[in-house]
């Protein structure tokens, strides 16, 4: 079976917080021919792990990398790498994906009220600013 993984399936599989659901989720992921994980699901997963479960950025990145290393997992690798790079730099995973996808669509300047994100991106040589 080729499945599209929802965030809650991934959370249950990684956190093992609900034993019955966690086993079922792990079995789904293990037995699937393909596990397709969209960018939105990855962003939600990172948010849930860091905000709800209070898992550090380092451990969250490690868990995401382990998930993505599974032979049957299919993701937009370039976007996931951009998110992980942002997370590794102390930034936000979702911002990394937003910037990556925005560039793919022709955007050049990141515009956000998040001053820390703007500073981090500017330090990497990208145009970023707050709305005026």
């Amino acid at each position: 079976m080729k499945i599209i993984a929802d965030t809650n399936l991934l959370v249950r599989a990684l956190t093992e917080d609900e034993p019955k659901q966690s086993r079922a989720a792990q079995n789904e992921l293990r037995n699937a021919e393909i596990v397709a994980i969209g960018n939105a699901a990855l962003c939600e997963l990172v948010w849930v792990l860091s905000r709800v479960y209070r898992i550090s950025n380092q451990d969250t990145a490690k868990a995401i990398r382990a998930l993505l290393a599974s032979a049957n997992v299919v993701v937009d690798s370039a976007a996931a790498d951009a998110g992980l790079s942002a997370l590794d730099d102390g930034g936000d995973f979702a911002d990394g994906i937003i910037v990556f996808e925005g560039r793919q669509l022709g955007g050049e300047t990141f515009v956000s009220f998040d001053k820390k994100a703007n500073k981090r991106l500017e330090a990497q040589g990208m145009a970023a600013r707050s709305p005026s």
Side-chain angles (χ1 to χ4, degrees), residues 109-118 122 128-132:
T109 302
F110 182 76
V111 180
S112 174
F113 290 107
D114 185 342
K115 292 178 183 178
K116 287 171 65 175
N118 289 342
E122 287 172 339
R129 65 176 179 81
S130 293
S132 44

Side-chain angles (χ1 to χ4, degrees), residues 83-103:
L84 286 165
S85 178
L87 196 60
D88 290 340
D89 289 342
D92 185 73
F93 182 88
D95 284 347
I97 288 184
I98 290 166
V99 168
F100 174 81
E101 290 179 336
R103 284 180 167 171

Side-chain angles (χ1 to χ4, degrees), residues 51-126:
R51 301 295 167 96
V52 176
Y53 289 87
R54 307 245 187 253
I55 298 173
S56 71
N57 282 359
Q58 182 180 14
D59 288 341
T60 296
K62 184 178 176 181
I64 298 301
R65 284 187 172 97
L67 177 66
L68 301 184
S70 300
N72 62 344
V73 170
V74 179
V75 298
D76 179 342
S77 296
D81 287 345
L84 286 165
S85 178
L87 196 60
D88 290 340
D89 289 342
D92 185 73
F93 182 88
D95 284 347
I97 288 184
I98 290 166
V99 168
F100 174 81
E101 290 179 336
R103 284 180 167 171
Q104 296 291 97
L105 296 170
E108 296 175 347
T109 302
F110 182 76
V111 180
S112 174
F113 290 107
D114 185 342
K115 292 178 183 178
K116 287 171 65 175
N118 289 342
K119 285 182 181 179
R120 187 180 57 75
L121 289 167
E122 287 172 339
Q124 295 173 356
M126 180 169 180

Side-chain angles (χ1 to χ4, degrees), residues 7-18 21-23 25-26 29 37 41-42 45-46 49 53 55 59-68 70:
T7 306
N8 59 33
L9 180 79
L10 301 171
V11 169
R12 292 285 91 75
L14 292 175
T15 64
E16 298 182 332
D17 62 343
E18 296 280 339
Q21 287 186 356
S22 294
R23 280 190 305 276
Q26 291 166 352
L29 296 177
I37 305 174
L42 284 176
L45 175 61
V46 169
L49 293 178
Y53 289 87
I55 298 173
D59 288 341
T60 296
K62 184 178 176 181
I64 298 301
R65 284 187 172 97
L67 177 66
L68 301 184
S70 300

